[in-house]
Structure formats: C-alpha cells, structure tokens
Amino acid sequence: MTTIINGKKVSQKIREELKEECEEIKKQGIIPKLAVIMVGDNPASKVYVRNKNKACQEIGIEYEEYFLKSEITQEKLIELIEDLNNRKDINGILLQSPIPNHLDINEAFRKISPEKDVDGFHPANVGKLILNQDTFVSCTPYGIMKLFAEYNIDLNGKHVVILGRSNIVGKPLIACCLNRNATVTVCHSKTENLEEHTKKADILIVAIGKANFVKKEMIKDGAVIIDVGINRTDEGKLTGDVDFENVKDVAGYITPVPGGVGPMTIAMLMNNVIKAARLQNKNN
Ligand code: NDP
C-alpha cells in the first residue's frame, strides 16, 4: 500500500506550533519580523510573496515588503539589504528569486547578514550545513527532512538519489541527507543512463522542473518518492516532476503536487524567522 505524504497537514501542524512559540516569545519582548525584497513583477514570485505574507500574519510574525522596480541598480539593491541588516527590528531578510539578469544575485545573497539569512543561501550558512553545524537550512530541503521525520522514514544507510543540483534545492539536500547517514547520488542534466541511478534509489528526490519526467519504469518497487517540482500544464494545472498517477502504484511513499513539499517550504521559512529572532535576542 502506498502512503501519500500529506505535506499540507504536516505544515499546518508546524504552523500551529510556531504560532504558539511566537506568542510565547512575544511575552519575553521578542517580536519576530521578516523583510521580503522582490525585484520586478514576476507573476509566480508575486504569488510566493503573497503566501509568505499570509503565513506571517497567521503565525504572528511582523512583515515588511519592498517591491523594487526591475531597472534598479545593484548598488541600490545592496544599499537596501545593508539598511535592513542594520535594523534591530528586522530578524530575517529574504530576497525573492529570480531577479533581473543585470543584477548579481550571488553578491546580493552574500550581502545579507548570515544571522538574518532565513533562506539559508549565504555561503557561511551553506558551509555550516556541509560541516553539519547548526545553521539556517534552506527551506525546501529542510521541509523535506521534516517530512521524513514525520513519516518515520529513516535515512540511515539508505541510498538517496537526488535529481537536480541547484544551489537552493539539490546541493543543500546532499548535505542534509549525508548528515543523516544516507549514501547519496546526485544526478543532473549531464548524467548518463539516468534510469540506472533512479532505479537503485531507496529514496528518490526530484527537483528538475520538468513536468511528469519520472515514470514508473524508473523507480524501484516500494521506493520513497519526493517530488519538489512545480510546473504548470497548458491548462494551467499544477503538476510535479513525477508522473504521480502511475508512479504512485509502485512507490512506498510519495508526495503529491500540490500539497506535498510546497507547503513545507513556507512553514520552514517561518521556523527560520522565529529561530533568527530568538538567536538575535539571546543575550538581551
Ligand atoms: P533549477 O532550474 O535551478 O535546477 C534544475 C536542476 O535539474 C539542474 O541541476 C539541472 O541540471 C537538472 N536537470 C534538468 N533537466 C534534467 C534532466 N533531464 N535530468 C536530470 N537532471 C536535470 O531548478 P530548482 O532546483 O530551482 O527547481 C526545481 C523544481 O523545483 C522547479 O520546478 C521549481 O519550481 C521547484 N521548486 C519547488 C519548491 C517548493 O517549495 N516545492 C522550491 C524550489 C523549487 P544542470 O545543473 O546540469 O543544468
């Protein structure tokens, strides 16, 4: 019997716990606050930003957003980041990607203070993750780890195959899985004989951005399938990177799209903002 992993339900539970935690720390005078920067008017980003605002409101996290014109210069963007770094009332800073091509996103991520880097993209935080030290873990990989914990899926000694090596999903996942004693294989667009790898996976995590790419012939019976992909079909329907309808008959566990990994990403962002607020107020 296949278990459909319910990310929506798990994320709601986490959000309720965070709401209580937020009320608790407010009693100690800690008011968590997130600043979100968006450059240009990418429609998908607008939806993501709106959802982040909603989640903050629900949990009790204060929220500020900066919508910058797409023509903004790198200097002005960095100036804003530095202002936010210097503000005591802001605990977390998030730069929504993508940003226009004339801007250097890596420099911008580097300028966000590591203590306020709630997305976990700063090289210092990525380094700590690789060294298995406490840090801000990038939200999607962190959300996936929470799903494993919630469904008692133990990574110890398991063969995890990751499709995709992006800085925000695939690469941090390597460290997250390795830190839990998995044996990790990473595949990407240049990988030869992909199916030979995917078929060996006890746990297959797919983050490539190609609708219904993973077919049931590509997986081992009973494997855990985590689908990170968010794609829109011509009819406007959301779909993952995994051919859910067919793969679900073979998998042991599988995440749906929507309602799997997506809601976990926002929940873990909220978690990171509260963590940042706590850490920044530790010695007060
Ligand atoms: P990127 O486009 O940054 O990276 C895609 C990765 O997939 C690359 O490493 C690329 O390889 C690899 N790839 C592409 N085609 C193939 C292929 N045919 N076989 C094997 N590997 C391939 O994507 P992201 O990591 O940012 O996002 C991936 C997906 O996850 C997207 O659909 C995105 O919308 C979604 N997403 C969902 C989130 C959520 O909260 N659920 C959060 C973030 C992303 P190469 O490096 O060689 O180019």
Side-chain angles (χ1 to χ4, degrees):
M1 248 264 297
T2 308
T3 302
I4 311 288
I5 296 180
N6 191 337
K8 197 169 170 197
K9 193 165 144 208
V10 177
S11 73
Q12 268 157 2
K13 189 179 110 184
I14 293 173
R15 280 158 79 142
E16 276 155 30
E17 288 166 1
L18 290 172
K19 191 173 173 187
E20 280 174 27
E21 192 180 345
C22 198
E23 281 164 14
E24 208 47 51
I25 62 172
K26 280 182 176 171
K27 287 184 197 147
Q28 300 162 31
I30 302 172
I31 318 283
K33 188 166 189 175
L34 172 68
V36 171
I37 306 170
M38 186 178 144
V39 188
D41 56 1
N42 180 303
S45 295
K46 277 188 185 159
V47 176
Y48 294 142
V49 167
R50 198 163 56 231
N51 289 342
K52 285 165 190 172
N53 185 352
K54 250 170 67 186
C56 283
Q57 279 182 29
E58 178 197 310
I59 290 167
I61 294 173
E62 294 204 354
Y63 178 89
E64 254 178 45
E65 57 193 12
Y66 294 86
F67 288 108
L68 308 180
K69 290 208 168 71
S70 52
E71 313 80 68
I72 187 138
T73 61
Q74 182 77 5
E75 291 67 35
K76 285 279 173 211
L77 174 62
I78 302 298
E79 212 175 279
L80 171 61
I81 291 172
E82 283 174 345
D83 279 352
L84 296 170
N85 281 341
N86 292 330
R87 272 178 53 188
K88 285 255 177 299
D89 63 320
I90 300 282
N91 306 112
I93 304 171
L94 182 150
L95 173 62
Q96 183 66 45
S97 68
I99 61 176
N101 286 336
H102 70 278
L103 299 169
D104 178 351
I105 197 161
N106 290 324
E107 192 206 12
F109 284 148
R110 241 185 0 256
K111 291 289 180 184
I112 295 176
S113 154
E115 289 77 34
K116 298 189 178 185
D117 170 39
V118 286
D119 254 341
F121 294 162
H122 192 286
N125 288 327
V126 177
K128 281 186 174 176
L129 177 65
I130 288 170
L131 298 173
N132 201 6
Q133 296 171 4
D134 185 39
T135 185
F136 294 109
V137 179
S138 129
C139 304
T140 303
Y142 194 10
I144 294 171
M145 295 304 123
K146 284 279 177 191
L147 287 178
F148 289 147
E150 195 64 31
Y151 282 82
N152 295 315
I153 297 168
D154 187 4
L155 271 62
N156 199 34
K158 293 285 171 3
H159 186 188
V160 176
V161 176
I162 301 167
L163 298 197
R165 56 172 167 180
S166 71
N167 289 345
I168 64 166
V169 186
K171 282 181 191 158
L173 268 172
I174 301 171
C176 288
C177 295
L178 206 52
N179 292 343
R180 282 166 182 75
N181 297 324
T183 301
V184 183
T185 299
V186 190
C187 303
H188 44 79
S189 69
K190 310 288 183 293
T191 300
E192 292 180 0
N193 306 319
L194 190 69
E195 211 171 304
E196 279 179 20
H197 297 288
T198 57
K199 267 189 166 152
K200 287 188 188 143
D202 300 311
I203 299 171
L204 178 66
I205 310 178
V206 191
I208 59 174
K210 296 226 152 46
N212 304 323
F213 180 87
V214 171
K215 307 288 181 201
K216 77 172 180 193
E217 298 72 32
M218 294 169 73
I219 73 156
K220 181 160 92 178
D221 268 15
V224 176
I225 310 293
I226 305 293
D227 189 354
V228 181
I230 302 178
N231 310 287
R232 220 169 258 285
T233 62
D234 293 340
E235 299 82 47
K237 201 177 145 233
L238 279 189
T239 182
D241 290 345
V242 176
D243 180 7
F244 181 85
E245 280 313 314
N246 293 308
V247 170
K248 78 174 188 329
D249 300 332
V250 191
Y253 293 79
I254 187 165
T255 58
V257 177
V261 174
M264 294 300 291
T265 299
I266 293 204
M268 300 331 291
L269 171 69
M270 299 296 114
N271 176 86
N272 283 352
V273 177
I274 292 182
K275 176 178 171 154
R278 273 189 186 283
L279 288 173
Q280 286 159 37
N281 286 280
K282 214 161 76 183
N283 301 319
N284 292 353

